[in-house]
Amino acid sequence: MRHHTRSIQSSVSSSILLSMGTYPRLPCSAVLMFIFLQVLFYGDSVSSYSSTINESDIRRSPALYDCDQCHHTKEQDIFPNRVHSSPDEKDIDIIATYSDASGHIQLARLKMRDLSDSWIWEKPTNENNEQQMGSQELVESFPTDLRLKDTSNLSIDEKISKENRVKSTHSVSLTPMKIKRRMMRQERRKARAAELIQQDKEAENHIISAAIERSEGFPTTKKGKYSIWRIEYENPNSDSTLKLMRDQIIMAKAYSNIAKSMNKTVLYSMLVKHFKESEQAIGEANSDAELPPGAFDQAKAMGHFLSDAKDQLYDCPLVARKLRATLQSTEDNVNVQKKRSAFLIQLAAKTVPRQLHCLPLQLAADYYLQGYHKKVIVDKQKAEDPSLYHYAIFSDNVLATSVVVNSTVQNAKDPEKHVFHIVTDKLNFAAMRMWFIVNPPAKATIEVQNIDDFKWLNSSYCSVLRQLESNRIKEYYFKANHPSSLSVGSDNLKYRNPKYLSMLNHLRFYLPEVYPKLDKILFLDDDIVVQKDLTPLWSVDLQGMVNGAVETCKESFHRFDKYLNFSNPLISKNFSPEACGWAYGMNMFDLIEWKKRNITGIYHRWQDMNEERTLWKLGTLPPGLITFYNLTYPLDRGWHVLGLGYDPALNLTEIENAAVIHYNGNYKPWLNLAVSKYQSYWSRYVMFDNPYIRVCNLS
């Protein structure tokens, strides 16, 4: 409303200035009459906005220039600091009509000096022609609607655009205060923008740091098909179509959830249809070569549809939340599948296959049917001769034991000097004896013993045997979900392995009792293969140590803190967490030093302190590390290479050059779980032409 009022004032002022510029010498009365006529001419416009005009508003309006005959002195008294741009400038009275609140016509008088400063001439001059030019420019700058220009033929858009141009043309000139405020607003906007950018950068850096920290915790030894640590990932074009289709399925599922939440049922149905078709096209494929012929066309069609879905549904925060939810759900599923996989692997690793179960049954039947149980075929003199090379093998697996013996004898320079002491349980004793009676190794001596015949091995003497017979261990192994101290917080399937219940696994701590007349003995696990002559090991100087073994620690791996509970003061005070671990599987034991240092007594003492299993979990390696602490001599790594039972990325050159290779882990070479590229090192020592192996279909 104020804008239109100013327009009316400007029209009146322009008429005054035009009259002054054209007729500068008219008397004051004539000028006043002319002004009155101009006011009456615009009376209709004034009356339409009269409700907003009052006398106080008029008095507050700044003044315009006037003629020489009008009240110049009074203006100077009110505005002494105003600089007049023309010496002829005077003040005049203006009479205007308006309607009051009751609707009656009223008259108002105002002075020229009370008009707005917006209409003061910017370039006034004393010359009449220049003054007339300034007045003409001022008139030409008036709004077209106030110069009575006909706009009835214009469209609404044209009228609005014309009005906007008029507003922009006649906007009040910027004062220094407004310029300063505008600059301050711009500075605040810049500061706010910089603050938001900095917050975005900080958030991005936080996300990157969290991603790096998470990636550092990934188990790099477990490598999946698309793990970035695998060699296959080095080729960016490797299986590109399969990867693209998997990514499309993820995005389609995210968009389908968004479409469902927005009640876009048609789009939701199409997305579900497309990603199900893509899943069906992928099937069980693990590479591009296994995809069906139309898979690439399916991926292109899916890409076009995802592009349309993105145009309709894409909202960055919403999509990010959906993808995070998908990631969380996928991680949960992966964890569930890992647990299932671990359980199934443990089950497959510890379950005796039908073929392996067949072999001891056939051997045991023939052992008793053919009367071999009445024969004693053991050379006691060689079995107790300390000058020969003696091996200790404790196992209930006939086939695995035969491979250990065959591989050792075939690579020995003097097989007749090698004596193998095999200890097994009562169930497999007949089968083990029968195998080596029917298949004696060339010139080597074999002694098979039954652990149940060791009368000295009882619960009153052996701490671990007393613990294994306790009700707590039985509950742990034979009652599902028992909250024992060992399983609190996690279901560690590894230590629920039944082999830990067998004394064959703990008999290695009683070697002097089992072989009292020997000075040195080489202990071998039944999951190893010998590839070189091992006789040089008997000439290795152990430098007063009891145990000669290959160390397994590399950098921070396989040190004592991995096996022992260093939060217990008994462990932290007696051992260093940085001490290097070593491997069971091929160990040279000096039985003379063993007896001097009472190694079996040390073992019993620590087993008694671990009655509640707070120092270490079940197994033989942790008590072995404690018992032989500072009593182990490190052998050269070439003697013993480990990991063939769990690590598919070992160096094949190291395997081929090793004296002994060890299939420690769940992927034993006689199981279908075995790593195929390592299986040949073991199978070359299996006697596949043996009638018992053929009958049991062992291949």
Side-chain angles (χ1 to χ4, degrees), residues 67-351:
C67 60
D68 294 336
Q69 293 84 1
C70 304
H71 312 289
H72 178 66
T73 306
K74 192 171 183 178
E75 180 186 2
Q76 289 180 346
D77 295 336
I78 298 174
F79 302 104
N81 296 328
R82 175 174 290 184
V83 179
H84 298 286
S85 47
S86 173
D88 297 331
E89 181 180 342
K90 300 293 182 181
D91 198 4
I92 62 174
D93 291 332
I94 299 176
I95 300 174
T97 61
Y98 67 96
S99 298
D100 58 9
S102 62
H104 299 289
I105 302 298
Q106 301 291 340
L107 293 177
R109 175 176 293 181
L110 67 156
K111 296 293 185 178
M112 176 67 78
R113 67 174 180 271
D114 294 332
L115 295 179
S116 173
D117 284 339
S118 305
W119 308 107
I120 298 177
W121 289 359
E122 294 183 2
K123 296 181 180 180
T125 179
N126 294 332
E127 299 296 332
N128 292 335
N129 56 348
E130 294 181 0
Q131 186 176 2
Q132 181 178 357
M133 185 181 298
S135 299
Q136 183 67 25
E137 292 174 355
L138 187 59
V139 172
E140 292 176 354
S141 67
F142 288 167
T144 55
D145 57 344
L146 295 180
R147 285 189 285 159
L148 304 178
K149 185 174 180 179
D150 186 12
T151 60
S152 60
N153 297 327
L154 297 177
S155 64
I156 296 176
D157 294 337
E158 290 175 344
K159 289 180 180 180
I160 293 174
S161 63
K162 184 178 289 295
E163 184 177 350
N164 291 336
R165 288 197 301 270
V166 170
K167 290 180 181 179
S168 63
T169 304
H170 296 281
S171 61
V172 180
S173 60
L174 295 176
T175 63
M177 182 59 67
K178 290 185 177 180
I179 294 174
K180 183 177 180 181
R181 289 176 180 172
R182 177 175 293 180
M183 294 176 64
M184 292 175 64
R185 283 197 298 271
Q186 292 177 352
E187 291 177 357
R188 286 197 298 270
R189 291 192 189 103
K190 292 180 180 179
R192 180 57 178 166
E195 181 181 356
L196 292 175
I197 292 173
Q198 182 64 26
Q199 291 178 358
D200 291 342
K201 289 182 177 179
E202 291 177 356
E204 183 179 359
N205 292 335
H206 178 71
I207 293 173
I208 293 173
S209 300
I212 293 174
E213 183 179 355
R214 183 177 176 82
S215 65
E216 290 176 351
F218 287 162
T220 57
T221 57
K222 298 180 180 179
K223 303 170 182 177
K225 178 65 179 174
Y226 297 110
S227 173
I228 61 174
W229 292 281
R230 286 187 65 88
I231 298 176
E232 290 90 328
Y233 196 84
E234 294 178 359
N235 183 4
N237 298 321
S238 176
D239 302 332
S240 57
T241 303
L242 182 61
K243 294 176 184 178
L244 174 63
M245 295 182 72
R246 292 186 187 276
D247 292 342
Q248 288 177 340
I249 291 172
I250 293 172
M251 292 307 302
K253 288 182 178 180
Y255 282 137
S256 65
N257 290 332
I258 297 173
K260 187 176 182 180
S261 64
M262 294 182 177
N263 293 325
K264 296 187 177 183
T265 56
V266 176
L267 184 59
Y268 167 76
S269 301
M270 294 300 295
L271 284 167
V272 172
K273 176 184 176 183
H274 274 77
F275 77 69
K276 285 186 176 180
E277 289 177 352
S278 295
E279 287 178 340
Q280 186 176 4
I282 292 175
E284 300 295 331
N286 291 318
S287 64
D288 284 355
E290 299 176 8
L291 291 173
F296 186 72
D297 295 334
Q298 175 69 25
K300 291 174 65 175
M302 183 71 158
H304 291 306
F305 190 77
L306 284 177
S307 179
D308 296 337
K310 179 180 178 182
D311 294 338
Q312 299 183 47
L313 302 174
Y314 186 76
D315 179 23
C316 188
L318 183 59
V319 173
R321 287 196 299 270
K322 292 296 181 183
L323 291 178
R324 281 197 294 268
T326 302
L327 178 62
Q328 182 65 36
S329 175
T330 305
E331 287 182 347
D332 293 341
N333 291 334
V334 168
N335 291 333
V336 171
Q337 295 301 325
K338 282 182 178 179
K339 290 181 179 179
R340 290 179 180 175
S341 176
F343 172 77
L344 292 175
I345 289 174
Q346 290 286 342
L347 182 62
K350 308 312 171 189
T351 301

Side-chain angles (χ1 to χ4, degrees), residues 385-409:
D385 187 356
S387 64
L388 300 178
Y389 307 116
H390 295 267
Y391 301 86
I393 305 172
F394 305 148
S395 174
D396 57 0
N397 190 327
V398 176
L399 183 63
T401 305
S402 70
V403 170
V404 175
V405 174
N406 290 341
S407 62
T408 305
V409 172

Side-chain angles (χ1 to χ4, degrees), residues 1 43 64 75 97 134 148 384 408 437 454 518 530 539 601 621:
M1 192 72 72
L64 285 172
E75 180 186 2
T97 61
L148 304 178
E384 297 177 353
T408 305
I437 291 172
F454 300 152
L518 300 180
V530 179
S539 60
L621 181 56

Side-chain angles (χ1 to χ4, degrees), residues 359-476:
L359 181 62
L361 289 178
Q362 293 289 336
L363 291 168
D366 289 347
Y367 178 76
Y368 289 103
L369 289 175
Q370 297 179 17
Y372 286 101
H373 62 288
K374 300 178 181 179
K375 300 178 182 180
V376 179
I377 313 173
V378 178
D379 190 344
K380 279 292 183 181
Q381 186 177 359
K382 278 191 173 183
E384 297 177 353
D385 187 356
S387 64
L388 300 178
Y389 307 116
H390 295 267
Y391 301 86
I393 305 172
F394 305 148
S395 174
D396 57 0
N397 190 327
V398 176
L399 183 63
T401 305
S402 70
V403 170
V404 175
V405 174
N406 290 341
S407 62
T408 305
V409 172
Q410 290 183 27
N411 290 285
K413 293 181 179 179
D414 299 316
E416 65 278 1
K417 295 183 179 181
H418 294 262
V419 181
F420 295 89
H421 303 271
I422 301 171
V423 180
T424 188
D425 55 14
K426 184 177 182 179
L427 184 63
N428 294 281
F429 175 72
M432 193 74 74
R433 283 202 67 190
M434 183 63 183
W435 175 267
F436 288 105
I437 291 172
V438 177
N439 305 290
K443 302 179 182 179
T445 302
I446 304 294
E447 180 187 24
V448 179
Q449 295 174 283
N450 184 359
I451 192 173
D452 293 334
D453 293 337
F454 300 152
K455 302 303 180 182
W456 51 266
L457 193 62
N458 50 60
S459 57
S460 62
Y461 172 69
C462 179
S463 302
V464 69
L465 184 60
R466 182 175 63 253
Q467 294 174 11
L468 292 176
E469 292 176 352
S470 66
N471 292 330
R472 181 177 298 179
I473 293 294
K474 292 178 181 178
E475 288 178 355
Y476 174 74

Side-chain angles (χ1 to χ4, degrees), residues 31-48:
V31 174
L32 291 175
M33 183 60 70
F34 182 80
I35 294 170
F36 183 76
L37 293 175
Q38 293 286 343
V39 170
L40 291 178
F41 180 78
Y42 292 99
D44 294 336
S45 300
V46 173
S47 62
S48 63

